[in-house]
Every structure is written in structure tokens, then in C-alpha cells.
Amino acid sequence: MVRVLVVGSIHMDLVVVLDRFPEIGETVIGRDFKMTPGGKGANQAVAAARLGAETYMVGRLGRDFFGRVLRENLKRNGVRDDFVVEDPESYTGVALIFVDVEGRNMIAVAPGTDARVGPSDVDSALDTLGSVDAVLLQLEIPLETVTYAAKRAKEAGALVVLNPAPFRPLPEDVYRHVDVLTPNEVEARQLAGRFGEYATLRECCEVLLEKGLSAVVVTLGPKGAHVFSRDFEGLVPAFKVPVVDTTGAGDAFSAALAVALSEGMSIEKAVVFANAVAAIKTTRLGAQEGLPYREEVNKFLLERGVKVG
Ligand code: ADP
């Protein structure tokens, strides 16, 4: 069993479905409401745990109602919460989401304790665990912590996978400590500094590879993912599935890729596996609820005659 450490955000998504968005000062009565556990860090941790990895989460929760619910949710999904700190200095992060009948959204995030995840949290996990196979990172916690976690993880010999979302400019020294970067196409262009300019995706990824990465895997939604690395370059097509909800597909993809690479799959096979995990997720509602278990992924691949193991 591979051991994965996820360092990142844990928050609650509160979604109100409305006929139309309110104007400033106006109250609009909603049609529906849903509360779902979210945060890219927590989504990736649940994804890795359901795929069978021994998964530890490093993050923070407030001493409040959502904090208790979210900790319970991680445990119920098989994620080890030993390094999820209860921080009384702030509140558990929330995302307030309005969705209108046309499917458009408006989102306000209050990061709360996510903004307080620090290098000492990373130290306590890595000092206790010693070695892990992979460390998964995203950008919903302070950049200083992401950079520090990448550096320490790399020194400890772990595979470092960074999902650079939501986009923020990254300090140059992060790249030296990251093995695999998993941007979508917009993020890849923004990180390469070629946003809005005429440049091919390959040119953008070459800029990123030169910074010290082993591979850039660009997710392309229904098209699949394009791998740029020394060993392999090419498009790995997505699986054709009846799509219901794509939220969290990118998180499912990054987590699956980290698990598969840790298990020793080649990058090409690992991307096929990650495409399968993300495709199954898109057929179901919910960023976390819709994540598949390992047996479901094996069955999905078997039915399509695809071998990755
Ligand atoms: P993000 O939401 O982070 O921008 P993408 O939209 O690129 O990420 O999706 C991540 C991955 O999810 C894709 O690389 C693909 O494997 C899978 N995926 C997304 N949309 C679809 C789809 N319509 N059909 C099949 N797979 C999909």
C-alpha cells in the first residue's frame, strides 16, 4: 500500500440555487440549498484514500461546527486526520456559492484556517511519518507553506505532485522541488507567462519543464490530458462517459496520478488511470461524494479492455 500525504485546504461549500442573482442590498429567495465538504486538499485526500492509498492530510480546521463535521467526513472516507490541527484562532473555511438556473455561479470564499496552514504543520507530519511515497499540493493554502512542503518532501525522497490551482504566480524556487505539475490549459499558459499571447501549449510546457520539473501533465477536460516529459510526450484521450458534474474532476485526476505513479506505473499508464478516475467522477454529483473506489476503477478499465497494472 502506498503512503500519500496531502497538504492543503479543507472547507465547507454552501450552495444556494437561485432563479437570479441578488442586486446589492436585495434579498432573493432561493430554490434549493446544499452543503458539501470541499477544499482542493480534502478532495484530493478523499480521492487518494478511496483509491486504496494510506492517506494522511495536513491542514487546519476551526474549533467550530464545520470543523467537527469536516474532520468526521475525512475519517469516514478513510483519510488519517492525525495532522489536521484544530486552530482556535480562526474559523473553518467556507465557500458561499450562488448558482442560477442557467448554471452560472458567483462564489465568495472565506479561507479561515486554510490561510493559517504553516511550515510547522508540514514538519510535524514529516517528522512523525518519516517517509511517504508522494506529497500532493495545491494552491489554496499560503504559498510559503506549499514551497516549504515541496522542498521538505523532495529532500525526504517523496514524489511531489503540484496541482497549481487556483492560479497564483509561483516563486521560481518551487519548481526545483516539484516532480509533476498538473495544470489545466489556462493555468499552464498563465504559469508560463504566455497568457493571451500566441504560443502553443508545447512551448508553454517547455518553459515550465526548463524550471526543473520531470513532467507537466495538462488536463484538457473532455479531451483528456497531454503529457510533456522526457520519457513520453503525447495526448492521452479521455474516456467517453455521460457527464453529470465536472466539479472536482481535476482534483480526482491529480490524486489518481500521484497514487498511480507511487505504485510504479509509467507516466503514460498513470495518466490513463487518472483519466478513468476523473471520468467516473464526472458521471456523479459532488466533488467528494462522486469519487470512485479502487474496485470501481478496476471494473471500469476492465470493461473497456484497458490494462494499466
Ligand atoms: P479542471 O476542472 O481542473 O480545469 P479538467 O476540466 O481539465 O480540470 O478535467 C480534469 C480531468 O477530468 C480531465 O483531464 C479528464 O481526465 C477528466 N474529464 C473532465 N471532463 C471530462 C469529460 N467531459 N469527459 C471525460 N473526462 C473528463
Short mmCIF file of all heavy atoms in Angstrom, two decimals, residues 185-238:
data_model
loop_
_atom_site.label_atom_id
_atom_site.label_comp_id
_atom_site.label_asym_id
_atom_site.label_seq_id
_atom_site.Cartn_x
_atom_site.Cartn_y
_atom_site.Cartn_z
N GLU A 185 -5.28 23.86 -19.04
CA GLU A 185 -4.60 24.60 -20.11
C GLU A 185 -4.43 26.08 -19.75
O GLU A 185 -3.37 26.67 -19.99
CB GLU A 185 -5.38 24.46 -21.42
CG GLU A 185 -4.66 25.16 -22.56
CD GLU A 185 -5.14 24.77 -23.94
OE1 GLU A 185 -6.06 23.95 -24.05
OE2 GLU A 185 -4.56 25.30 -24.91
N VAL A 186 -5.46 26.67 -19.15
CA VAL A 186 -5.38 28.09 -18.79
C VAL A 186 -4.26 28.31 -17.77
O VAL A 186 -3.45 29.23 -17.91
CB VAL A 186 -6.74 28.58 -18.22
CG1 VAL A 186 -6.64 30.02 -17.73
CG2 VAL A 186 -7.83 28.45 -19.27
N GLU A 187 -4.20 27.43 -16.77
CA GLU A 187 -3.15 27.56 -15.74
C GLU A 187 -1.76 27.37 -16.34
O GLU A 187 -0.81 28.08 -15.96
CB GLU A 187 -3.40 26.55 -14.62
CG GLU A 187 -4.62 26.89 -13.77
CD GLU A 187 -5.32 25.68 -13.15
OE1 GLU A 187 -4.83 24.53 -13.31
OE2 GLU A 187 -6.38 25.88 -12.53
N ALA A 188 -1.62 26.44 -17.27
CA ALA A 188 -0.31 26.20 -17.90
C ALA A 188 0.16 27.46 -18.62
O ALA A 188 1.33 27.86 -18.51
CB ALA A 188 -0.40 25.03 -18.89
N ARG A 189 -0.75 28.11 -19.34
CA ARG A 189 -0.39 29.35 -20.06
C ARG A 189 -0.06 30.48 -19.09
O ARG A 189 0.88 31.24 -19.29
CB ARG A 189 -1.53 29.77 -20.99
CG ARG A 189 -1.69 28.86 -22.16
CD ARG A 189 -2.81 29.30 -23.09
NE ARG A 189 -2.92 28.35 -24.18
CZ ARG A 189 -2.11 28.34 -25.24
NH1 ARG A 189 -1.17 29.25 -25.39
NH2 ARG A 189 -2.24 27.42 -26.17
N GLN A 190 -0.86 30.58 -18.03
CA GLN A 190 -0.62 31.65 -17.05
C GLN A 190 0.74 31.45 -16.37
O GLN A 190 1.50 32.39 -16.20
CB GLN A 190 -1.73 31.66 -15.99
CG GLN A 190 -3.05 32.21 -16.53
CD GLN A 190 -4.19 32.07 -15.53
OE1 GLN A 190 -4.38 31.02 -14.95
NE2 GLN A 190 -4.92 33.13 -15.33
N LEU A 191 1.03 30.20 -15.97
CA LEU A 191 2.29 29.93 -15.27
C LEU A 191 3.49 30.18 -16.18
O LEU A 191 4.54 30.65 -15.74
CB LEU A 191 2.34 28.48 -14.77
CG LEU A 191 1.40 28.18 -13.59
CD1 LEU A 191 1.34 26.68 -13.37
CD2 LEU A 191 1.87 28.89 -12.33
N ALA A 192 3.33 29.86 -17.47
CA ALA A 192 4.43 30.06 -18.41
C ALA A 192 4.57 31.54 -18.78
O ALA A 192 5.53 31.93 -19.45
CB ALA A 192 4.20 29.23 -19.66
N GLY A 193 3.60 32.35 -18.36
CA GLY A 193 3.64 33.77 -18.68
C GLY A 193 3.32 34.04 -20.13
O GLY A 193 3.73 35.03 -20.73
N ARG A 194 2.57 33.11 -20.76
CA ARG A 194 2.24 33.26 -22.18
C ARG A 194 0.72 33.39 -22.34
O ARG A 194 0.15 32.97 -23.32
CB ARG A 194 2.70 32.02 -22.98
CG ARG A 194 4.17 31.76 -22.91
CD ARG A 194 4.94 32.79 -23.78
NE ARG A 194 6.31 32.38 -23.96
CZ ARG A 194 7.27 32.57 -23.08
NH1 ARG A 194 7.01 33.16 -21.92
NH2 ARG A 194 8.51 32.18 -23.34
N PHE A 195 0.08 33.96 -21.33
CA PHE A 195 -1.37 34.04 -21.36
C PHE A 195 -1.81 35.11 -22.35
O PHE A 195 -1.35 36.24 -22.30
CB PHE A 195 -1.91 34.34 -19.96
CG PHE A 195 -3.39 34.13 -19.87
CD1 PHE A 195 -3.93 32.88 -20.11
CD2 PHE A 195 -4.23 35.17 -19.56
CE1 PHE A 195 -5.29 32.67 -20.03
CE2 PHE A 195 -5.60 34.98 -19.48
CZ PHE A 195 -6.12 33.72 -19.72
N GLY A 196 -2.69 34.73 -23.25
CA GLY A 196 -3.19 35.69 -24.23
C GLY A 196 -2.25 35.92 -25.39
O GLY A 196 -2.61 36.50 -26.39
N GLU A 197 -1.03 35.42 -25.28
CA GLU A 197 -0.07 35.56 -26.38
C GLU A 197 -0.21 34.38 -27.31
O GLU A 197 -0.72 33.33 -26.93
CB GLU A 197 1.35 35.47 -25.81
CG GLU A 197 2.02 36.78 -25.58
CD GLU A 197 3.38 36.50 -24.94
OE1 GLU A 197 4.24 35.89 -25.60
OE2 GLU A 197 3.56 36.89 -23.78
N TYR A 198 0.31 34.51 -28.50
CA TYR A 198 0.30 33.36 -29.38
C TYR A 198 1.47 32.45 -29.01
O TYR A 198 2.62 32.75 -29.21
CB TYR A 198 0.41 33.80 -30.86
CG TYR A 198 0.38 32.62 -31.77
CD1 TYR A 198 -0.83 31.97 -32.02
CD2 TYR A 198 1.55 32.10 -32.32
CE1 TYR A 198 -0.86 30.84 -32.82
CE2 TYR A 198 1.51 30.98 -33.12
CZ TYR A 198 0.30 30.35 -33.37
OH TYR A 198 0.26 29.23 -34.15
N ALA A 199 1.15 31.32 -28.42
CA ALA A 199 2.18 30.32 -28.11
C ALA A 199 1.47 28.98 -28.05
O ALA A 199 0.32 28.90 -27.61
CB ALA A 199 2.84 30.62 -26.76
N THR A 200 2.12 27.93 -28.52
CA THR A 200 1.47 26.62 -28.44
C THR A 200 1.58 26.11 -27.01
O THR A 200 2.43 26.57 -26.22
CB THR A 200 2.16 25.60 -29.37
OG1 THR A 200 3.51 25.45 -28.93
CG2 THR A 200 2.13 26.06 -30.82
N LEU A 201 0.74 25.12 -26.72
CA LEU A 201 0.79 24.51 -25.38
C LEU A 201 2.17 23.89 -25.16
O LEU A 201 2.72 23.97 -24.07
CB LEU A 201 -0.32 23.46 -25.28
CG LEU A 201 -0.55 22.85 -23.90
CD1 LEU A 201 -0.88 23.91 -22.87
CD2 LEU A 201 -1.66 21.81 -23.97
N ARG A 202 2.74 23.31 -26.22
CA ARG A 202 4.06 22.69 -26.10
C ARG A 202 5.11 23.73 -25.70
O ARG A 202 5.92 23.50 -24.80
CB ARG A 202 4.47 22.01 -27.41
CG ARG A 202 5.89 21.43 -27.35
CD ARG A 202 6.29 20.66 -28.58
NE ARG A 202 5.60 19.38 -28.65
CZ ARG A 202 4.66 19.09 -29.53
NH1 ARG A 202 4.30 19.99 -30.42
NH2 ARG A 202 4.08 17.91 -29.54
N GLU A 203 5.05 24.90 -26.34
CA GLU A 203 6.02 25.97 -25.99
C GLU A 203 5.86 26.38 -24.53
O GLU A 203 6.86 26.57 -23.82
CB GLU A 203 5.82 27.18 -26.92
CG GLU A 203 6.40 26.95 -28.30
CD GLU A 203 5.88 27.93 -29.36
OE1 GLU A 203 4.92 28.68 -29.10
OE2 GLU A 203 6.44 27.91 -30.47
N CYS A 204 4.63 26.50 -24.08
CA CYS A 204 4.38 26.87 -22.67
C CYS A 204 4.96 25.81 -21.74
O CYS A 204 5.61 26.13 -20.74
CB CYS A 204 2.88 26.99 -22.40
SG CYS A 204 2.15 28.38 -23.25
N CYS A 205 4.72 24.54 -22.06
CA CYS A 205 5.18 23.47 -21.18
C CYS A 205 6.69 23.32 -21.22
O CYS A 205 7.30 22.93 -20.21
CB CYS A 205 4.46 22.17 -21.50
SG CYS A 205 2.72 22.30 -21.03
N GLU A 206 7.30 23.64 -22.36
CA GLU A 206 8.77 23.61 -22.41
C GLU A 206 9.35 24.66 -21.45
O GLU A 206 10.33 24.41 -20.76
CB GLU A 206 9.27 23.81 -23.83
CG GLU A 206 9.31 22.47 -24.57
CD GLU A 206 9.40 22.60 -26.08
OE1 GLU A 206 9.58 23.73 -26.59
OE2 GLU A 206 9.27 21.55 -26.74
N VAL A 207 8.73 25.83 -21.42
CA VAL A 207 9.15 26.88 -20.48
C VAL A 207 9.09 26.34 -19.05
O VAL A 207 10.01 26.52 -18.25
CB VAL A 207 8.25 28.15 -20.62
CG1 VAL A 207 8.51 29.14 -19.50
CG2 VAL A 207 8.45 28.80 -21.98
N LEU A 208 7.99 25.63 -18.74
CA LEU A 208 7.81 25.11 -17.38
C LEU A 208 8.78 23.97 -17.07
O LEU A 208 9.37 23.93 -15.98
CB LEU A 208 6.36 24.64 -17.18
CG LEU A 208 5.31 25.74 -17.28
CD1 LEU A 208 3.89 25.16 -17.21
CD2 LEU A 208 5.50 26.77 -16.16
N LEU A 209 9.00 23.07 -18.06
CA LEU A 209 9.92 21.95 -17.83
C LEU A 209 11.34 22.43 -17.55
O LEU A 209 12.05 21.85 -16.74
CB LEU A 209 9.93 21.01 -19.04
CG LEU A 209 8.75 20.04 -19.15
CD1 LEU A 209 8.77 19.33 -20.50
CD2 LEU A 209 8.76 19.01 -18.02
N GLU A 210 11.72 23.53 -18.22
CA GLU A 210 13.08 24.07 -18.02
C GLU A 210 13.32 24.55 -16.59
O GLU A 210 14.45 24.70 -16.16
CB GLU A 210 13.32 25.24 -18.98
CG GLU A 210 13.84 24.78 -20.32
CD GLU A 210 13.74 25.87 -21.38
OE1 GLU A 210 13.75 27.06 -21.00
OE2 GLU A 210 13.63 25.52 -22.57
N LYS A 211 12.25 24.77 -15.86
CA LYS A 211 12.40 25.25 -14.49
C LYS A 211 12.76 24.13 -13.52
O LYS A 211 12.94 24.36 -12.33
CB LYS A 211 11.11 25.94 -14.02
CG LYS A 211 10.79 27.21 -14.81
CD LYS A 211 9.43 27.76 -14.36
CE LYS A 211 8.91 28.85 -15.28
NZ LYS A 211 9.45 30.19 -14.97
N GLY A 212 12.79 22.87 -14.00
CA GLY A 212 13.27 21.77 -13.16
C GLY A 212 12.28 20.65 -12.90
O GLY A 212 12.56 19.74 -12.12
N LEU A 213 11.10 20.70 -13.54
CA LEU A 213 10.11 19.64 -13.33
C LEU A 213 10.48 18.38 -14.12
O LEU A 213 11.20 18.48 -15.12
CB LEU A 213 8.75 20.11 -13.87
CG LEU A 213 8.19 21.41 -13.32
CD1 LEU A 213 7.11 21.95 -14.25
CD2 LEU A 213 7.62 21.17 -11.94
N SER A 214 9.96 17.21 -13.71
CA SER A 214 10.15 16.00 -14.52
C SER A 214 9.05 15.91 -15.57
O SER A 214 9.27 15.39 -16.65
CB SER A 214 10.06 14.73 -13.68
OG SER A 214 10.86 14.83 -12.58
N ALA A 215 7.85 16.35 -15.21
CA ALA A 215 6.74 16.23 -16.15
C ALA A 215 5.69 17.31 -15.90
O ALA A 215 5.48 17.73 -14.76
CB ALA A 215 6.08 14.87 -16.03
N VAL A 216 5.07 17.75 -17.00
CA VAL A 216 3.89 18.60 -16.90
C VAL A 216 2.76 17.81 -17.54
O VAL A 216 2.89 17.36 -18.67
CB VAL A 216 4.05 19.94 -17.65
CG1 VAL A 216 2.81 20.81 -17.49
CG2 VAL A 216 5.28 20.70 -17.17
N VAL A 217 1.69 17.61 -16.79
CA VAL A 217 0.52 16.89 -17.32
C VAL A 217 -0.62 17.89 -17.36
O VAL A 217 -1.14 18.30 -16.32
CB VAL A 217 0.16 15.68 -16.44
CG1 VAL A 217 -1.04 14.94 -17.03
CG2 VAL A 217 1.35 14.74 -16.29
N VAL A 218 -0.98 18.32 -18.58
CA VAL A 218 -2.00 19.36 -18.73
C VAL A 218 -3.36 18.69 -18.91
O VAL A 218 -3.56 17.92 -19.87
CB VAL A 218 -1.71 20.27 -19.94
CG1 VAL A 218 -2.73 21.40 -20.02
CG2 VAL A 218 -0.29 20.83 -19.87
N THR A 219 -4.29 18.96 -18.00
CA THR A 219 -5.63 18.37 -18.14
C THR A 219 -6.44 19.20 -19.13
O THR A 219 -6.39 20.43 -19.11
CB THR A 219 -6.36 18.26 -16.79
OG1 THR A 219 -6.59 19.56 -16.27
CG2 THR A 219 -5.57 17.43 -15.79
N LEU A 220 -7.16 18.50 -20.02
CA LEU A 220 -7.87 19.17 -21.10
C LEU A 220 -9.35 18.82 -21.12
O LEU A 220 -9.95 18.66 -22.19
CB LEU A 220 -7.22 18.78 -22.44
CG LEU A 220 -5.73 19.18 -22.59
CD1 LEU A 220 -5.11 18.49 -23.80
CD2 LEU A 220 -5.59 20.70 -22.74
N GLY A 221 -9.95 18.66 -19.93
CA GLY A 221 -11.38 18.38 -19.84
C GLY A 221 -11.77 17.16 -20.66
O GLY A 221 -11.13 16.10 -20.54
N PRO A 222 -12.80 17.29 -21.52
CA PRO A 222 -13.28 16.13 -22.30
C PRO A 222 -12.27 15.58 -23.30
O PRO A 222 -12.46 14.51 -23.86
CB PRO A 222 -14.52 16.66 -23.03
CG PRO A 222 -14.48 18.13 -22.89
CD PRO A 222 -13.59 18.50 -21.74
N LYS A 223 -11.17 16.32 -23.52
CA LYS A 223 -10.15 15.82 -24.45
C LYS A 223 -9.16 14.87 -23.76
O LYS A 223 -8.46 14.11 -24.41
CB LYS A 223 -9.38 16.99 -25.08
CG LYS A 223 -10.18 17.68 -26.19
CD LYS A 223 -9.34 18.65 -26.96
CE LYS A 223 -9.60 20.05 -26.48
NZ LYS A 223 -8.69 21.07 -26.92
N GLY A 224 -9.07 14.93 -22.44
CA GLY A 224 -8.13 14.06 -21.73
C GLY A 224 -7.00 14.86 -21.12
O GLY A 224 -7.22 15.90 -20.51
N ALA A 225 -5.76 14.40 -21.30
CA ALA A 225 -4.62 15.10 -20.73
C ALA A 225 -3.41 14.95 -21.64
O ALA A 225 -3.21 13.90 -22.25
CB ALA A 225 -4.30 14.54 -19.34
N HIS A 226 -2.62 16.01 -21.74
CA HIS A 226 -1.41 15.96 -22.56
C HIS A 226 -0.19 15.92 -21.65
O HIS A 226 -0.04 16.77 -20.77
CB HIS A 226 -1.35 17.19 -23.48
CG HIS A 226 -0.46 16.97 -24.66
ND1 HIS A 226 -0.90 16.97 -25.96
CD2 HIS A 226 0.86 16.71 -24.73
CE1 HIS A 226 0.10 16.72 -26.77
NE2 HIS A 226 1.19 16.57 -26.05
N VAL A 227 0.64 14.92 -21.88
CA VAL A 227 1.84 14.74 -21.05
C VAL A 227 3.04 15.34 -21.77
O VAL A 227 3.28 15.05 -22.95
CB VAL A 227 2.13 13.24 -20.81
CG1 VAL A 227 3.34 13.07 -19.90
CG2 VAL A 227 0.91 12.54 -20.25
N PHE A 228 3.80 16.15 -21.06
CA PHE A 228 5.09 16.64 -21.55
C PHE A 228 6.14 16.18 -20.55
O PHE A 228 6.12 16.60 -19.39
CB PHE A 228 5.09 18.18 -21.65
CG PHE A 228 4.09 18.71 -22.64
CD1 PHE A 228 2.80 19.01 -22.23
CD2 PHE A 228 4.45 18.89 -23.98
CE1 PHE A 228 1.87 19.50 -23.15
CE2 PHE A 228 3.52 19.37 -24.89
CZ PHE A 228 2.23 19.67 -24.47
N SER A 229 7.01 15.26 -20.97
CA SER A 229 8.09 14.82 -20.07
C SER A 229 9.22 14.30 -20.94
O SER A 229 9.07 14.19 -22.16
CB SER A 229 7.60 13.71 -19.14
OG SER A 229 7.45 12.51 -19.85
N ARG A 230 10.33 13.94 -20.31
CA ARG A 230 11.46 13.43 -21.08
C ARG A 230 11.17 12.04 -21.64
O ARG A 230 11.52 11.73 -22.76
CB ARG A 230 12.72 13.40 -20.20
CG ARG A 230 13.33 14.78 -20.11
CD ARG A 230 14.35 14.93 -19.00
NE ARG A 230 14.30 16.29 -18.50
CZ ARG A 230 13.66 16.66 -17.41
NH1 ARG A 230 13.00 15.78 -16.68
NH2 ARG A 230 13.64 17.92 -17.05
N ASP A 231 10.46 11.21 -20.85
CA ASP A 231 10.20 9.82 -21.25
C ASP A 231 9.09 9.70 -22.27
O ASP A 231 9.09 8.80 -23.11
CB ASP A 231 9.76 8.97 -20.05
CG ASP A 231 10.68 9.14 -18.87
OD1 ASP A 231 11.85 9.46 -19.11
OD2 ASP A 231 10.22 8.96 -17.73
N PHE A 232 8.11 10.56 -22.19
CA PHE A 232 6.90 10.39 -23.01
C PHE A 232 6.27 11.73 -23.27
O PHE A 232 6.22 12.59 -22.39
CB PHE A 232 5.91 9.48 -22.25
CG PHE A 232 4.57 9.38 -22.92
CD1 PHE A 232 4.38 8.55 -24.01
CD2 PHE A 232 3.50 10.13 -22.45
CE1 PHE A 232 3.14 8.45 -24.63
CE2 PHE A 232 2.25 10.05 -23.06
CZ PHE A 232 2.08 9.21 -24.15
N GLU A 233 5.81 11.92 -24.52
CA GLU A 233 5.05 13.13 -24.81
C GLU A 233 3.87 12.75 -25.67
O GLU A 233 4.03 12.02 -26.65
CB GLU A 233 5.92 14.16 -25.54
CG GLU A 233 5.37 15.57 -25.37
CD GLU A 233 5.09 16.29 -26.67
OE1 GLU A 233 6.03 16.78 -27.30
OE2 GLU A 233 3.89 16.36 -27.04
N GLY A 234 2.71 13.19 -25.29
CA GLY A 234 1.55 12.89 -26.13
C GLY A 234 0.24 13.08 -25.41
O GLY A 234 0.21 13.21 -24.18
N LEU A 235 -0.82 13.09 -26.21
CA LEU A 235 -2.17 13.25 -25.65
C LEU A 235 -2.69 11.88 -25.23
O LEU A 235 -2.60 10.92 -26.00
CB LEU A 235 -3.10 13.84 -26.72
CG LEU A 235 -4.57 13.97 -26.31
CD1 LEU A 235 -4.76 15.11 -25.32
CD2 LEU A 235 -5.45 14.19 -27.53
N VAL A 236 -3.18 11.79 -24.02
CA VAL A 236 -3.83 10.57 -23.55
C VAL A 236 -5.33 10.89 -23.53
O VAL A 236 -5.77 11.70 -22.70
CB VAL A 236 -3.32 10.16 -22.15
CG1 VAL A 236 -3.97 8.85 -21.71
CG2 VAL A 236 -1.79 10.03 -22.15
N PRO A 237 -6.11 10.33 -24.46
CA PRO A 237 -7.51 10.76 -24.59
C PRO A 237 -8.37 10.40 -23.40
O PRO A 237 -8.13 9.39 -22.72
CB PRO A 237 -7.99 10.03 -25.86
CG PRO A 237 -6.98 9.01 -26.17
CD PRO A 237 -5.71 9.34 -25.45
N ALA A 238 -9.39 11.22 -23.16
CA ALA A 238 -10.34 10.98 -22.06
C ALA A 238 -11.23 9.80 -22.42
O ALA A 238 -11.36 9.43 -23.59
CB ALA A 238 -11.19 12.23 -21.84
#
